[in-house]
Amino acid sequence: MLVGGVDEAGRGSIIGPLVVAGVSVRESKIAKLKEMGVKDSKLLTAQARERLYGEIISLSEHHHIHVIKSTEVDANVLLKGLNRLEAKAMAHVISHINAKEVFVDCCDTNTGRYRDYIASHLETVPTIHSLHHADRINVVVSAASILAKITRDAEIKKIRKRHRDIGSGYPSDERTMLFIKDWVGRKKCPPAFARKSWKPLRLMLEELEQRTLI
C-alpha cells in the first residue's frame, strides 16, 4: 500500500509563493525514510535538505509539487479563504500521488473541517489523516515538507537574483521589511512578488494612499 504525506512551505511569508508538496511511499519503505535522516524540514540544515531532496524522490513512488503565486494568495486572503486555498492545493497534490492513506499537516484549528475541505475537492477520496504538526510526527509528511521547503527556497533565490537583499521573505525578518518599505517608498506600489494582503504591507500602502491625498 502507498502512504502519502502532504505539507506546505511559505504560508506565513510576505514575499514569494506558497508551496504545497506531497510524496507517496510504499509502507515497507517508510522505515527507510527515518534511516535516511528525514525529519521536519525546519529541523534540518540547508545542506541536509539538499541531500535528502534527491533521496526522497528516488525512494518515493510518486511526488508532486504545487506552487501558488502571491497574487492568488492575496485573492484568497481578501475573501478570508487562505485555509480553503491550501486545502484545495493539498487535494490537487493528493490526486497526483496515488496513495490509499494520506497524512496532511493541518493549518486549520479544526482538523476534521480541514480534512473535509480537502475531501470536497477530490473525486476519489483516500483515507485522510488531518493532523496538527504532522511534519514533526509523521515521517512521510516530513519528507513532503523537505520537498516543499527546497522548492520554496529555489523560488526565493530567483527573486533574490534580481532584487538582491530581500532577506528570508518573512515579516519577522528586518531585512525583508526594509526591502519592502524602500520599494514602496521609491515606486509607490508593492512588489509584484509580495503579498499585499499581509498586514505590514497593507498598512504601508494605506499610509502611502493617505499621504497622496494630503
Side-chain angles (χ1 to χ4, degrees), residues 8-214:
E8 57 76 26
R11 178 182 169 91
S13 175
I14 195 168
I15 284 178
L18 168 62
V19 178
V20 178
V23 299
S24 61
V25 180
R26 293 202 177 278
E27 221 172 357
S28 60
K29 294 183 178 180
I30 291 176
K32 180 65 176 175
L33 288 173
K34 294 180 180 179
E35 291 173 16
M36 286 159 47
V38 170
K39 61 177 78 172
D40 176 9
S41 63
K42 294 184 289 294
L43 302 177
L44 295 167
T45 64
Q47 292 83 357
R49 289 193 295 266
E50 289 283 355
R51 172 181 60 82
L52 288 167
Y53 182 88
E55 294 181 13
I56 290 166
I57 290 176
S58 295
L59 183 73
S60 64
E61 295 297 315
H62 304 281
H63 73 279
H64 191 78
I65 299 170
H66 183 61
V67 178
I68 305 169
K69 293 182 179 180
S70 297
T71 49
E72 188 175 357
V73 172
D74 281 337
N76 283 270
V77 169
L78 292 172
L79 298 172
K80 298 183 179 179
L82 183 57
N83 285 358
R84 287 182 179 271
L85 172 66
E86 191 171 314
K88 185 177 180 181
M90 286 195 171
H92 173 78
V93 169
I94 289 169
S95 71
H96 285 78
I97 60 174
N98 297 328
K100 297 295 183 184
E101 186 172 17
V102 181
F103 294 81
V104 304
D105 192 44
C106 176
C107 60
D108 197 312
T109 54
N110 186 321
T111 56
R113 176 172 60 196
Y114 191 66
R115 179 196 62 228
D116 293 343
Y117 283 165
I118 294 171
S120 70
H121 293 288
L122 289 166
E123 290 185 9
T124 302
V125 183
T127 300
I128 300 173
H129 303 279
S130 173
L131 305 169
H132 293 138
H133 309 299
D135 50 354
R136 296 183 186 178
I137 61 180
N138 183 280
V139 72
V140 187
V141 180
S142 298
S145 80
I146 292 169
L147 267 57
K149 174 65 174 168
I150 288 288
T151 303
R152 154 89 187 166
D153 286 351
E155 293 293 323
I156 290 296
K157 285 177 184 175
K158 290 177 188 176
I159 298 171
R160 191 174 286 122
K161 279 183 179 179
R162 294 186 63 188
H163 303 287
R164 298 188 180 180
D165 195 15
I166 62 169
S168 65
Y170 284 84
S172 57
D173 189 328
E174 186 177 352
R175 287 187 303 159
T176 295
M177 297 314 299
L178 284 173
F179 168 82
I180 293 174
K181 186 176 182 180
D182 178 66
W183 181 292
V184 171
R186 288 185 297 105
K187 303 199 176 188
K188 313 303 180 189
C189 67
F193 47 82
R195 301 178 193 175
K196 59 183 182 293
S197 59
W198 258 224
K199 187 176 181 180
L201 180 49
R202 196 172 70 241
L203 291 175
M204 285 184 205
L205 296 174
E206 288 173 1
E207 184 181 342
L208 176 64
E209 184 177 1
Q210 288 171 2
R211 289 203 304 266
T212 305
L213 293 173
I214 293 174

